[in-house]
Amino acid sequence: MEIAQYKDVYVFVEQRDGEIQSVSYELIGKARELADQLNEKVVAIFAGHQIANKANELIAYGADCVICMDAPELKDYLTEPYTQAITQLINEKKPSIVLIGATTIGRDLGPRLSARLITGLTADCTKLEISETRELLMTRPAFGGNLMATIICPKHRPQMSTVRPGVMRKMERDAIRKGEVETFVPKFDASKFRVKLLKKVKEDKGKIDITEAKILISGGRGVGTKENFEKLQELADVLGAEISSSRAMVDAGIMPHDRQVGQTGKTVRPDLYCAFGISGAIQHVAGMEESEYIVAINKDKFSPIFQIADLGIVGDVNKIVPLLKERLRITN
C-alpha cells in the first residue's frame, strides 16, 4: 500500500429522513482541527436521496468539500447499499482518515467498511490527535474504563474510527463559508441486497434526547427505587430538565438504556448536570465530566463524584430532593 497516496479527512454524514444528525456536525468540527494540523481538507460523505440541497449546511459547519451520493437505494440506511456505495467512494478518493459516529448506524457501517477496505477500525474513541509522524492517534477506554488505550494504524489506510455522540464539539455555523459540492454515482450490485425496508415505525417518547438537554438530573444507586425516580421527575419538571441515570439503574430495570450516562451509555455535556445518589465511578464520569456545572448529592462525603463537582451536598438524596423541589417552586 502506497500510504502517501492517501490524504484528507473524511466524515460520514448520518441523516435520518433527510435530517442531518448532530453527531455529523460534531465530527466535522473535529475533522477541521485534524485537517488543519495536516494542511489537508475536510470532506463530508453525504449519502441519501434528494439531499443535495442540504450540502451547504455541512460547509457552514466546517467542511471544505461535500460529496453527495444521491440514489433511491440510499434513502434509508440499509447495510449493504451504504457499504457498497461508501467502499467505492473510499477506494476511488483514497482518504487518509475516515470518521464515523458511534451511533446504531455507525456501529453497523464501520466494521463492514473496515473489512472490505482491509484496514483497521478503532471504536468508541474519546480523543483524536495527530502525531509528530502525521498518524492519527485514536484514544479509547479499555478494560472497563480503567485504562485509556491509544491506537494507531501505521500500515493501512484509511485510518478509521467511530466517535460517540456528544464527545466532540461542533464549530459555530458560518453561513458565508465557501466550499465545493461534488456528485458521486455509485454502482450497486443489487444481487447482494438481502434486506428490504418494509415499514418504519417510530416510537413517540415525548422526551428530548439526553445528549441535547441543557439541564440533566441524573439518578444513581442512592436514589434506589422507581418511586424515588418519580420524585426526581417532579424536580425535573420544575427545572425544565431531562432525567438520566447511571448504569446501575438501567441494570436494575428502573431506567431505559437510552437514559444512561457513562462509558456504556451516552456522553453528555449539559449546562447543568445534577448527579444525585451517584458515587462517581470512572465509567460514569467519562460520560459527563465535560458538563458546564456539576451539582452532586451523596451520603458518602468521600464519594469520587465530589472531586469533579462544582457544588456538593452531603446527605440523603431522597430527603433533599423534595426540599429542593419546594424551594425552587417558591423561587419560581
Side-chain angles (χ1 to χ4, degrees):
M1 172 176 285
E2 185 56 53
I3 288 178
Q5 295 179 358
Y6 292 77
K7 68 175 184 177
D8 297 331
V9 183
Y10 280 49
V11 174
F12 168 68
V13 177
E14 184 174 323
Q15 58 84 19
R16 294 171 186 258
D17 295 327
E19 292 298 318
I20 299 170
Q21 301 299 292
S22 181
V23 65
S24 301
Y25 295 127
E26 294 168 10
L27 292 185
I28 288 172
K30 186 61 184 181
R32 177 76 276 149
E33 179 186 319
L34 299 174
D36 287 346
Q37 292 179 55
L38 293 167
N39 196 27
E40 294 179 351
K41 293 181 179 180
V42 175
V43 181
I45 304 172
F46 196 18
H49 186 45
Q50 298 178 342
I51 41 84
N53 62 322
K54 297 187 177 178
N56 285 328
E57 273 299 290
L58 300 168
I59 293 170
Y61 278 98
D64 297 305
C65 177
V66 180
I67 300 178
C68 288
M69 292 190 287
D70 196 316
E73 294 89 344
L74 301 173
K75 182 177 185 297
D76 296 294
Y77 178 79
L78 289 172
T79 304
E80 186 60 28
Y82 266 72
T83 302
Q84 284 188 22
I86 297 171
T87 298
Q88 291 172 36
L89 173 65
I90 290 174
N91 281 331
E92 179 173 318
K93 299 293 186 179
K94 292 183 166 49
S96 176
I97 296 170
V98 175
L99 305 180
I100 301 170
T103 60
T104 51
I105 286 176
R107 286 172 172 161
D108 179 75
L109 177 65
R112 286 163 173 81
L113 289 176
S114 69
R116 296 191 192 187
L117 295 166
I118 315 176
T119 189
L121 173 71
T122 305
D124 280 353
C125 292
T126 57
K127 187 177 182 181
L128 299 172
E129 297 175 297
I130 300 298
S131 72
E132 293 180 359
T133 56
R134 297 173 62 85
E135 290 179 329
L136 181 64
L137 304 177
M138 300 170 279
T139 302
R140 57 152 296 156
F143 295 100
N146 293 307
L147 288 176
M148 300 300 286
T150 298
I151 298 165
I152 60 174
C153 183
K155 297 181 179 180
H156 297 274
R157 290 294 183 273
Q159 303 161 96
M160 292 179 57
S161 70
T162 60
V163 181
R164 286 171 58 180
V167 173
M168 306 301 175
R169 290 187 183 273
K170 63 183 178 182
M171 293 173 55
E172 290 293 325
R173 185 178 184 275
D174 182 357
I176 62 172
R177 198 172 180 280
K178 301 297 182 183
E180 301 175 8
V181 179
E182 297 181 16
T183 300
F184 183 87
V185 182
K187 297 178 181 178
F188 295 104
D189 181 357
S191 67
K192 295 183 179 179
F193 293 178
R194 305 298 186 193
V195 176
K196 291 182 179 180
L197 180 62
L198 300 181
K199 182 171 66 171
K200 290 190 289 185
V201 179
K202 293 184 179 180
E203 181 182 1
D204 184 11
K205 297 181 180 179
K207 294 181 180 179
I208 297 171
D209 189 306
I210 61 173
T211 61
E212 304 289 335
K214 297 297 183 184
I215 304 175
L216 276 177
I217 295 180
S218 202
R221 201 184 302 273
V223 176
T225 66
K226 189 175 183 66
E227 290 73 21
N228 287 336
F229 263 92
E230 289 172 0
K231 293 177 183 177
L232 283 192
Q233 183 63 61
E234 292 173 6
L235 177 61
D237 292 341
V238 174
L239 287 171
E242 290 295 317
I243 290 288
S244 55
S245 79
S246 66
R247 178 173 177 171
M249 295 296 92
V250 175
D251 289 346
I254 293 173
M255 292 292 286
H257 184 263
D258 67 350
R259 297 273 117 181
Q260 181 187 332
V261 173
Q263 189 57 55
T264 54
K266 293 183 177 181
T267 299
V268 299
R269 51 175 77 198
D271 295 337
L272 173 62
Y273 186 86
C274 299
F276 292 172
I278 293 172
S279 63
I282 189 171
Q283 292 89 343
H284 184 80
V285 170
M288 47 67 73
E289 61 186 336
E290 294 294 324
S291 301
E292 192 69 26
Y293 197 87
I294 300 171
V295 176
I297 302 176
N298 201 290
K299 287 193 294 186
D300 181 4
K301 66 180 180 181
F302 299 109
S303 287
I305 194 68
F306 290 128
Q307 296 176 15
I308 63 165
D310 296 287
L311 173 65
I313 302 172
V314 178
D316 186 342
V317 64
N318 296 316
K319 293 179 180 178
I320 294 172
V321 164
L323 298 174
L324 186 58
K325 179 187 70 175
E326 291 307 313
R327 176 61 64 88
L328 288 168
R329 275 182 175 165
I330 293 169
T331 304
N332 290 337

